[in-house]
Amino acid sequence: MAYEELYREFNDTVPFQPIFQLATQPKFAIIASIISLLLITLSLSVSSSEKHFMTKLIFCATINIMASGFVGIAAVFAANSFGVYV
Amino acid sequence: MNASIFWWVFITFFIHMNSVLCIENFIPEQVWENIDYRRAIDVSKSYLSERVEIRAKNVGPESVTEYYFALPRNSLGKVSMFTAVIQGTDTYLNCQLFPNVTRLEETGEYVGYGVINFPSPIQPEQEFSFITALYYNVAGVPYPEYIAISDEQSLLLKTNRFPISAYPTVESTLTIGGSSSFEELNAPDDAYLKGKTNVPPNEEAIFFGPWDDIKPFEKEQDVEVVFNHNLPLNEVTLLKRDIWVSQWASTLEFKEYYELKNKGAKLDKGFSRINYMRDQQQADMRKSHYLAIIEMLLPENPFGHYYNDLVGLVSTAKIQENHYFLKPRFPIFGGWNYNFTIGWTNQLSDFLHKSNDDSDMYLLSVPLLNGPSDTVYDTVEYSVYVPEGAKIADIDTPIPFVNLSVKAEKSYLDLKKGHVRVKITFKNLVNEIAGAKILIKYQYTKNAFIQKPLSIAIYIFIALMFIFLLKNINLNVK
């Protein structure tokens, strides 16, 4: 595409809008970290309990999926909060 | 059999080499006559700028759409910008540098060309007026080469006296301006060729001509002019400019590494701290030939600034809106080098737009340079890192580049192929074109956007399930 066309297209389009503002990401990082720690603690306590293996497996897998998700989000928000923009 | 193979290889090689090398005996078709050729050189900056007003007439039998603008061959490799406009308008003409050259038999020198294409054919006997503008990564040389700290710096400029043109010229002038004083060295005895000062309307310039009836490629003794230029000659021999796009943080992070040199006059007796401090006290806003403060012009609303050099973090820096004033550890005198790194961050929304037609398409517009004013750049390595998982759709630059490559490069929390790096190499830039925009169009789907936390989540999930299995597998031996 010619430079003029691309330049015109840039001027005709709307600016990017972020989903999460940078200023709010430290708060979300802290919240996500706390939630993920609580979920991991719950998962570890369930895995140490005397319940049936399959019950524990299903319960722990479910909690671990949620905990992993929150850890992923917390890692991204925490990195951005410390100035390491990922 | 062997001889025929040899000749086949030789002829193939010869034809191939001819297509790669320029033609050295090229002469443009003699279809133009320069009615008026007014050349003006501005020496006020660290680089030369030249403006040539040409009124040319088509003296050929047919209509013509292109004009070959001649340049000394050694200047061709130093041209930063070559543009032309129709006189009296803002209409730019299509220009490009031409690879073929002409060898002048009398002097053995070579002449290169820039080709200017006109929007419509110029008919026989029709005149056409246009203005060409050139910026060169070339400056005057210090004259004398060595001076004291408190001395004023002068530069020597050597250039062709008569216009270099493939076409005959009816009338021509040369004006050199941009300084408060000019003196011609080794001036010819002929008053017709000598330069004159105090000529209205520009009394501060030196004026040559008018000369009449100049033949194509006619050459006279070169002009040597000494002028006062008591400012540093900033040359960035290498700039590595990295720009990181983060859609998660909504930031555009800039990081620049400079190798800076002052091409000005060198110190005659070496550096003396006492003389330097005395000069600073007496300076009283006077300009100086050494660089004590570097002023960077950043995009609007920057934050997160930092400045360090090879020793470490440098705290002598001040931010004033989007002006970043850097005070190096030592002043940069003529012949001295200084390497440093600066960085800052901007809001991504100022540079990134989202396509109206496709919600996964983004357009990035980033300025070419944000460095100090009055600076030339020998080599610029310009890298834009778009997010991991993005696909480049288009890249466009308003100025020619030497090299362009697109490849992956890993960075923090990149668990797959890494960020997509678009690297463009430029040569011979001047800060006059700093505002030019590099445009990159890329596709970044919503799936690619959530890949980063998802990739981290998958690794954490595997680790947690592994811990679960370890806790629940009974390894006791009964």
Side-chain angles (χ1 to χ4, degrees):
Chain A
M1 189 186 277
Y3 184 85
E4 300 81 31
E5 287 177 35
L6 208 55
Y7 188 78
R8 210 172 296 126
E9 191 182 345
F10 177 81
N11 287 328
D12 291 341
T13 47
V14 294
F16 167 79
Q17 294 299 328
I19 299 172
F20 303 100
Q21 294 289 344
L22 185 62
T24 60
Q25 289 192 20
K27 187 172 62 177
F28 288 136
I30 292 168
I31 294 169
S33 303
I34 292 169
I35 293 173
S36 62
L37 276 171
L38 290 172
L39 287 171
I40 289 169
T41 308
L42 180 63
S43 165
L44 289 172
S45 64
V46 168
S47 69
S48 304
S49 67
E50 297 299 320
K51 290 183 183 166
H52 190 264
F53 176 78
M54 283 311 294
T55 310
K56 280 197 296 187
L57 178 65
I58 292 165
F59 196 70
C60 282
T62 310
I63 295 175
N64 286 341
I65 285 171
M66 291 192 295
S68 307
F70 278 105
V71 168
I73 289 283
V76 170
F77 285 160
N80 291 338
S81 304
F82 284 108
V84 178
Y85 305 118
V86 297
Chain B
M1 180 66 173
N2 285 343
S4 63
I5 291 172
F6 168 77
W7 280 112
W8 179 83
V9 168
F10 174 77
I11 290 166
T12 308
F13 179 79
F14 181 75
I15 291 169
H16 176 70
M17 286 307 290
N18 256 340
S19 67
V20 168
L21 295 174
C22 63
I23 298 171
E24 289 196 349
N25 55 355
F26 169 78
I27 302 277
E29 225 178 312
Q30 296 296 294
V31 294
W32 289 104
E33 181 183 55
N34 298 322
I35 305 298
D36 207 5
Y37 190 109
R38 303 201 175 276
R39 182 176 169 222
I41 300 176
D42 182 0
V43 298
S44 61
K45 296 197 187 289
S46 297
Y47 48 89
L48 292 182
S49 67
E50 198 170 305
R51 177 187 157 100
V52 184
E53 295 180 22
I54 300 174
R55 182 161 57 96
K57 180 177 168 184
N58 180 1
V59 295
E62 293 170 357
S63 61
V64 192
T65 55
E66 57 192 19
Y67 179 100
Y68 287 84
F69 181 82
L71 293 160
R73 192 189 192 181
N74 54 4
S75 298
L76 262 185
K78 294 287 189 180
V79 172
S80 175
M81 196 165 81
F82 171 49
T83 62
V85 294
I86 299 174
Q87 189 146 35
T89 72
D90 289 331
T91 308
Y92 279 88
L93 299 170
N94 192 4
C95 306
Q96 61 232 5
L97 296 177
F98 193 65
N100 296 341
V101 297
T102 301
R103 186 174 181 277
L104 305 180
E105 286 184 14
E106 277 179 25
T107 57
E109 291 170 1
Y110 289 90
V111 170
Y113 298 96
V115 181
I116 302 169
N117 294 293
F118 303 123
S120 52
I122 309 300
Q123 303 301 322
E125 300 302 314
Q126 186 184 352
E127 291 182 5
F128 188 78
S129 296
F130 57 96
I131 302 170
T132 65
L134 295 109
Y135 292 93
Y136 298 96
N137 181 0
V138 165
V141 293
Y143 187 87
E145 193 182 348
Y146 293 90
I147 58 174
I149 288 179
S150 52
D151 286 348
E152 294 216 342
Q153 177 181 259
S154 295
L155 302 180
L156 170 68
L157 171 69
K158 190 172 175 183
T159 186
N160 48 290
R161 193 175 297 264
F162 278 359
I164 296 179
S165 179
Y167 313 111
T169 304
V170 174
E171 186 175 297
S172 165
T173 62
L174 167 64
T175 309
I176 303 176
S179 175
S180 55
S181 73
F182 288 95
E183 182 193 339
E184 188 179 0
L185 282 190
N186 305 318
D189 297 326
D190 190 349
Y192 175 71
L193 297 172
K194 259 188 190 174
K196 308 168 233 346
T197 52
N198 295 315
V199 176
N202 192 351
E203 282 83 358
E204 286 198 338
I206 185 167
F207 182 83
F208 297 83
W211 302 301
D212 305 318
D213 297 324
I214 301 170
K215 299 185 193 58
F217 305 118
E218 186 177 346
K219 191 165 167 61
E220 271 296 339
Q221 175 192 337
D222 283 348
V223 163
E224 290 181 39
V225 165
V226 174
F227 56 94
N228 179 274
H229 187 92
N230 201 33
L231 289 168
L233 298 179
N234 300 333
E235 180 188 17
V236 175
T237 51
L238 174 65
L239 166 62
K240 287 185 185 173
R241 180 167 158 94
D242 294 342
I243 300 164
W244 293 81
V245 178
S246 170
Q247 293 198 207
W248 269 102
S250 182
T251 55
L252 195 69
E253 196 179 356
F254 294 82
K255 181 181 173 185
E256 298 187 322
Y257 168 71
Y258 285 82
E259 290 183 4
L260 176 66
K261 181 175 180 169
N262 182 354
K263 287 188 301 184
K266 301 180 180 72
L267 291 175
D268 56 354
K269 292 190 177 75
F271 178 66
S272 160
R273 177 71 59 180
I274 290 174
N275 289 343
Y276 172 63
M277 289 173 70
R278 192 182 298 140
D279 187 67
Q280 288 264 288
Q281 282 173 354
Q282 291 170 355
D284 193 25
M285 303 301 286
R286 171 173 59 85
K287 295 174 190 172
S288 58
H289 53 86
Y290 52 86
L291 188 58
I293 305 277
I294 306 169
E295 181 185 348
M296 301 297 211
L297 189 60
L298 309 184
E300 296 289 330
N301 305 317
F303 60 93
H305 305 77
Y306 63 89
Y307 164 38
N308 55 46
D309 59 16
L310 297 176
V311 175
L313 188 71
V314 184
S315 57
T316 50
K318 188 173 176 175
I319 304 151
Q320 226 169 23
E321 295 181 350
N322 63 326
H323 291 254
Y324 197 17
F325 296 94
L326 313 175
K327 188 172 181 189
R329 295 181 197 276
F330 50 86
I332 305 166
F333 289 94
W336 291 22
N337 299 299
Y338 182 60
N339 303 346
F340 63 97
T341 301
I342 63 166
W344 71 92
T345 308
N346 276 97
Q347 288 295 334
L348 187 59
S349 50
D350 294 339
F351 303 91
L352 188 70
H353 284 195
K354 196 168 177 178
S355 175
N356 293 332
D357 306 322
D358 184 348
S359 60
D360 293 336
M361 275 295 186
Y362 296 89
L363 290 121
L364 183 69
S365 169
V366 198
L368 179 64
L369 298 167
N370 283 112
S373 61
D374 194 14
T375 303
V376 298
Y377 299 80
D378 290 347
T379 306
V380 176
E381 291 179 5
Y382 190 102
S383 299
V384 179
Y385 297 82
V386 294
E388 187 178 31
K391 288 185 185 145
I392 302 291
D394 204 352
I395 305 165
D396 254 310
T397 72
I399 55 168
F401 52 84
V402 170
N403 190 33
L404 185 146
S405 66
V406 179
K407 58 179 187 177
E409 189 162 311
K410 287 204 172 183
S411 180
Y412 301 108
L413 294 184
D414 283 345
L415 297 170
K416 294 196 172 212
K417 287 183 184 170
H419 280 63
V420 178
R421 180 188 187 187
V422 176
K423 183 179 172 185
I424 311 172
T425 306
F426 298 98
K427 293 266 187 200
N428 295 323
L429 299 185
V430 297
N431 76 283
E432 201 75 29
I433 52 173
K437 301 278 192 256
I438 309 294
L439 299 173
I440 297 176
K441 188 174 182 179
Y442 65 90
Q443 185 190 41
Y444 191 49
T445 60
K446 290 175 184 55
N447 282 343
F449 180 72
I450 62 167
Q451 272 305 310
K452 195 166 287 296
L454 200 61
S455 303
I456 298 168
I458 288 169
Y459 282 103
I460 299 295
F461 176 75
I462 292 169
L464 289 172
M465 290 311 295
F466 185 67
I467 293 170
F468 169 81
L469 289 171
L470 278 180
K471 280 172 111 23
N472 287 276
I473 291 173
N474 190 352
L475 296 171
N476 288 338
V477 175
K478 286 192 179 173

Short mmCIF file of all heavy atoms in Angstrom, two decimals, chain B residues 34-41 50-55 87 130-132 163 169 171-175 207-211:
data_model
loop_
_atom_site.label_atom_id
_atom_site.label_comp_id
_atom_site.label_asym_id
_atom_site.label_seq_id
_atom_site.Cartn_x
_atom_site.Cartn_y
_atom_site.Cartn_z
N ASN B 34 18.84 25.70 -19.38
CA ASN B 34 18.55 26.42 -18.14
C ASN B 34 18.54 27.91 -18.45
O ASN B 34 19.59 28.51 -18.66
CB ASN B 34 19.62 26.10 -17.08
CG ASN B 34 19.65 24.64 -16.71
OD1 ASN B 34 18.61 23.97 -16.62
ND2 ASN B 34 20.84 24.11 -16.48
N ILE B 35 17.37 28.50 -18.43
CA ILE B 35 17.28 29.94 -18.67
C ILE B 35 17.82 30.68 -17.44
O ILE B 35 18.53 31.67 -17.55
CB ILE B 35 15.82 30.37 -18.93
CG1 ILE B 35 15.20 29.55 -20.07
CG2 ILE B 35 15.71 31.86 -19.20
CD1 ILE B 35 15.89 29.73 -21.40
N ASP B 36 17.48 30.16 -16.27
CA ASP B 36 17.87 30.80 -15.02
C ASP B 36 18.22 29.70 -14.02
O ASP B 36 17.45 28.76 -13.86
CB ASP B 36 16.69 31.63 -14.50
CG ASP B 36 17.14 32.79 -13.66
OD1 ASP B 36 18.36 33.01 -13.56
OD2 ASP B 36 16.28 33.49 -13.10
N TYR B 37 19.40 29.82 -13.39
CA TYR B 37 19.84 28.78 -12.44
C TYR B 37 20.37 29.52 -11.22
O TYR B 37 21.47 30.04 -11.23
CB TYR B 37 20.93 27.93 -13.10
CG TYR B 37 21.32 26.67 -12.35
CD1 TYR B 37 20.97 25.41 -12.83
CD2 TYR B 37 22.08 26.74 -11.17
CE1 TYR B 37 21.34 24.25 -12.16
CE2 TYR B 37 22.44 25.59 -10.50
CZ TYR B 37 22.09 24.35 -11.01
OH TYR B 37 22.46 23.21 -10.35
N ARG B 38 19.56 29.56 -10.16
CA ARG B 38 19.95 30.33 -8.95
C ARG B 38 20.16 29.35 -7.81
O ARG B 38 19.22 28.74 -7.33
CB ARG B 38 18.88 31.35 -8.59
CG ARG B 38 18.61 32.29 -9.73
CD ARG B 38 17.97 33.60 -9.34
NE ARG B 38 17.89 34.43 -10.56
CZ ARG B 38 18.89 35.17 -10.99
NH1 ARG B 38 20.02 35.24 -10.32
NH2 ARG B 38 18.78 35.87 -12.11
N ARG B 39 21.40 29.27 -7.38
CA ARG B 39 21.78 28.28 -6.35
C ARG B 39 22.06 29.01 -5.05
O ARG B 39 22.82 29.99 -5.04
CB ARG B 39 23.02 27.53 -6.84
CG ARG B 39 23.52 26.43 -5.94
CD ARG B 39 24.68 25.74 -6.62
NE ARG B 39 25.36 24.85 -5.69
CZ ARG B 39 26.67 24.73 -5.59
NH1 ARG B 39 27.46 25.45 -6.37
NH2 ARG B 39 27.21 23.88 -4.73
N ALA B 40 21.44 28.54 -3.95
CA ALA B 40 21.66 29.17 -2.64
C ALA B 40 22.04 28.09 -1.65
O ALA B 40 21.35 27.09 -1.53
CB ALA B 40 20.40 29.89 -2.18
N ILE B 41 23.16 28.29 -0.95
CA ILE B 41 23.63 27.32 0.05
C ILE B 41 23.50 27.96 1.43
O ILE B 41 23.90 29.11 1.63
CB ILE B 41 25.10 26.94 -0.20
CG1 ILE B 41 25.25 26.31 -1.60
CG2 ILE B 41 25.60 25.97 0.86
CD1 ILE B 41 26.68 26.00 -1.98
N GLU B 50 20.88 23.09 0.41
CA GLU B 50 21.04 23.77 -0.88
C GLU B 50 19.67 23.91 -1.52
O GLU B 50 18.87 22.97 -1.52
CB GLU B 50 21.94 22.92 -1.77
CG GLU B 50 22.54 23.65 -2.93
CD GLU B 50 23.60 22.82 -3.63
OE1 GLU B 50 24.55 22.37 -2.95
OE2 GLU B 50 23.45 22.61 -4.85
N ARG B 51 19.42 25.09 -2.05
CA ARG B 51 18.14 25.34 -2.72
C ARG B 51 18.46 25.90 -4.10
O ARG B 51 19.21 26.88 -4.20
CB ARG B 51 17.36 26.34 -1.89
CG ARG B 51 16.05 26.80 -2.44
CD ARG B 51 15.50 27.93 -1.56
NE ARG B 51 14.58 28.75 -2.29
CZ ARG B 51 13.26 28.65 -2.21
NH1 ARG B 51 12.71 27.77 -1.40
NH2 ARG B 51 12.49 29.44 -2.92
N VAL B 52 17.95 25.26 -5.12
CA VAL B 52 18.26 25.68 -6.49
C VAL B 52 16.96 26.01 -7.20
O VAL B 52 16.09 25.15 -7.33
CB VAL B 52 19.01 24.58 -7.26
CG1 VAL B 52 19.40 25.07 -8.63
CG2 VAL B 52 20.25 24.14 -6.49
N GLU B 53 16.84 27.26 -7.63
CA GLU B 53 15.66 27.67 -8.41
C GLU B 53 16.03 27.60 -9.88
O GLU B 53 16.98 28.27 -10.30
CB GLU B 53 15.25 29.10 -8.05
CG GLU B 53 14.78 29.23 -6.61
CD GLU B 53 14.37 30.66 -6.27
OE1 GLU B 53 14.05 31.44 -7.20
OE2 GLU B 53 14.39 31.00 -5.08
N ILE B 54 15.30 26.82 -10.63
CA ILE B 54 15.63 26.60 -12.04
C ILE B 54 14.43 26.98 -12.90
O ILE B 54 13.30 26.57 -12.61
CB ILE B 54 16.00 25.12 -12.31
CG1 ILE B 54 17.22 24.72 -11.48
CG2 ILE B 54 16.27 24.88 -13.80
CD1 ILE B 54 17.57 23.26 -11.57
N ARG B 55 14.71 27.77 -13.91
CA ARG B 55 13.70 28.00 -14.96
C ARG B 55 14.30 27.40 -16.23
O ARG B 55 15.31 27.89 -16.74
CB ARG B 55 13.39 29.47 -15.12
CG ARG B 55 12.31 29.79 -16.16
CD ARG B 55 11.73 31.18 -15.94
NE ARG B 55 12.75 32.20 -15.98
CZ ARG B 55 13.07 32.94 -17.06
NH1 ARG B 55 12.43 32.74 -18.20
NH2 ARG B 55 14.02 33.85 -17.00
N GLN B 87 7.52 25.87 -8.70
CA GLN B 87 7.72 27.21 -8.15
C GLN B 87 6.39 27.90 -7.92
O GLN B 87 5.48 27.84 -8.77
CB GLN B 87 8.57 28.05 -9.11
CG GLN B 87 8.99 29.37 -8.51
CD GLN B 87 10.36 29.79 -8.98
OE1 GLN B 87 10.71 29.52 -10.12
NE2 GLN B 87 11.12 30.44 -8.13
N PHE B 130 10.90 25.35 -11.35
CA PHE B 130 10.78 24.51 -10.16
C PHE B 130 11.95 24.81 -9.23
O PHE B 130 12.93 25.46 -9.61
CB PHE B 130 10.74 23.02 -10.53
CG PHE B 130 11.92 22.53 -11.32
CD1 PHE B 130 13.00 21.92 -10.68
CD2 PHE B 130 11.97 22.68 -12.70
CE1 PHE B 130 14.09 21.48 -11.40
CE2 PHE B 130 13.06 22.23 -13.43
CZ PHE B 130 14.12 21.63 -12.78
N ILE B 131 11.80 24.35 -7.99
CA ILE B 131 12.83 24.58 -6.98
C ILE B 131 13.23 23.22 -6.40
O ILE B 131 12.38 22.46 -5.97
CB ILE B 131 12.30 25.46 -5.83
CG1 ILE B 131 11.81 26.79 -6.37
CG2 ILE B 131 13.37 25.68 -4.77
CD1 ILE B 131 11.05 27.64 -5.37
N THR B 132 14.52 22.93 -6.40
CA THR B 132 14.98 21.70 -5.75
C THR B 132 15.61 22.06 -4.41
O THR B 132 16.21 23.12 -4.26
CB THR B 132 16.04 20.95 -6.59
OG1 THR B 132 17.21 21.77 -6.66
CG2 THR B 132 15.56 20.65 -7.98
N PRO B 163 27.50 26.29 -11.89
CA PRO B 163 26.55 25.19 -11.67
C PRO B 163 26.97 23.95 -12.45
O PRO B 163 27.39 24.06 -13.60
CB PRO B 163 25.24 25.76 -12.21
CG PRO B 163 25.64 26.82 -13.18
CD PRO B 163 26.92 27.39 -12.68
N THR B 169 23.49 26.70 -19.63
CA THR B 169 22.83 27.63 -18.71
C THR B 169 23.01 29.05 -19.23
O THR B 169 24.13 29.48 -19.50
CB THR B 169 23.43 27.52 -17.30
OG1 THR B 169 23.32 26.16 -16.87
CG2 THR B 169 22.73 28.42 -16.30
N GLU B 171 21.87 31.99 -17.60
CA GLU B 171 22.30 32.87 -16.52
C GLU B 171 22.29 32.10 -15.21
O GLU B 171 21.37 31.33 -14.94
CB GLU B 171 21.39 34.09 -16.40
CG GLU B 171 21.91 35.10 -15.37
CD GLU B 171 21.09 36.38 -15.32
OE1 GLU B 171 21.04 37.09 -16.34
OE2 GLU B 171 20.50 36.65 -14.26
N SER B 172 23.32 32.34 -14.38
CA SER B 172 23.44 31.58 -13.12
C SER B 172 24.02 32.46 -12.02
O SER B 172 24.86 33.33 -12.29
CB SER B 172 24.33 30.37 -13.37
OG SER B 172 24.74 29.81 -12.15
N THR B 173 23.58 32.21 -10.79
CA THR B 173 24.17 32.88 -9.62
C THR B 173 24.38 31.85 -8.52
O THR B 173 23.78 30.78 -8.53
CB THR B 173 23.25 33.99 -9.07
OG1 THR B 173 22.03 33.41 -8.65
CG2 THR B 173 23.00 35.08 -10.09
N LEU B 174 25.24 32.23 -7.57
CA LEU B 174 25.48 31.38 -6.39
C LEU B 174 25.47 32.29 -5.17
O LEU B 174 26.15 33.33 -5.16
CB LEU B 174 26.83 30.67 -6.52
CG LEU B 174 27.38 29.99 -5.25
CD1 LEU B 174 26.46 28.86 -4.80
CD2 LEU B 174 28.79 29.45 -5.50
N THR B 175 24.72 31.94 -4.15
CA THR B 175 24.68 32.70 -2.90
C THR B 175 24.98 31.74 -1.77
O THR B 175 24.42 30.64 -1.72
CB THR B 175 23.28 33.32 -2.68
OG1 THR B 175 22.88 34.02 -3.84
CG2 THR B 175 23.31 34.27 -1.49
N PHE B 207 27.93 36.64 -2.43
CA PHE B 207 27.19 36.47 -3.68
C PHE B 207 28.17 36.31 -4.84
O PHE B 207 29.16 37.04 -4.91
CB PHE B 207 26.30 37.72 -3.88
CG PHE B 207 25.44 37.66 -5.10
CD1 PHE B 207 24.23 37.00 -5.07
CD2 PHE B 207 25.85 38.27 -6.28
CE1 PHE B 207 23.44 36.95 -6.19
CE2 PHE B 207 25.06 38.22 -7.41
CZ PHE B 207 23.84 37.56 -7.36
N PHE B 208 27.88 35.35 -5.70
CA PHE B 208 28.72 35.10 -6.88
C PHE B 208 27.86 35.21 -8.13
O PHE B 208 26.73 34.73 -8.16
CB PHE B 208 29.33 33.69 -6.83
CG PHE B 208 30.25 33.45 -5.66
CD1 PHE B 208 29.73 33.12 -4.42
CD2 PHE B 208 31.62 33.56 -5.80
CE1 PHE B 208 30.56 32.90 -3.34
CE2 PHE B 208 32.46 33.34 -4.72
CZ PHE B 208 31.93 33.02 -3.49
N GLY B 209 28.43 35.80 -9.17
CA GLY B 209 27.73 35.92 -10.45
C GLY B 209 27.17 37.33 -10.62
O GLY B 209 27.60 38.25 -9.92
N PRO B 210 26.21 37.52 -11.50
CA PRO B 210 25.67 36.50 -12.40
C PRO B 210 26.64 36.15 -13.53
O PRO B 210 27.38 37.00 -13.98
CB PRO B 210 24.40 37.16 -12.95
CG PRO B 210 24.67 38.62 -12.86
CD PRO B 210 25.58 38.83 -11.70
N TRP B 211 26.62 34.89 -13.89
CA TRP B 211 27.42 34.40 -15.00
C TRP B 211 26.51 34.07 -16.17
O TRP B 211 25.40 33.60 -15.99
CB TRP B 211 28.20 33.14 -14.59
CG TRP B 211 29.10 33.35 -13.41
CD1 TRP B 211 30.12 34.24 -13.31
CD2 TRP B 211 29.05 32.65 -12.17
NE1 TRP B 211 30.72 34.14 -12.08
CE2 TRP B 211 30.09 33.17 -11.35
CE3 TRP B 211 28.26 31.64 -11.65
CZ2 TRP B 211 30.34 32.71 -10.06
CZ3 TRP B 211 28.50 31.18 -10.37
CH2 TRP B 211 29.55 31.72 -9.58
#
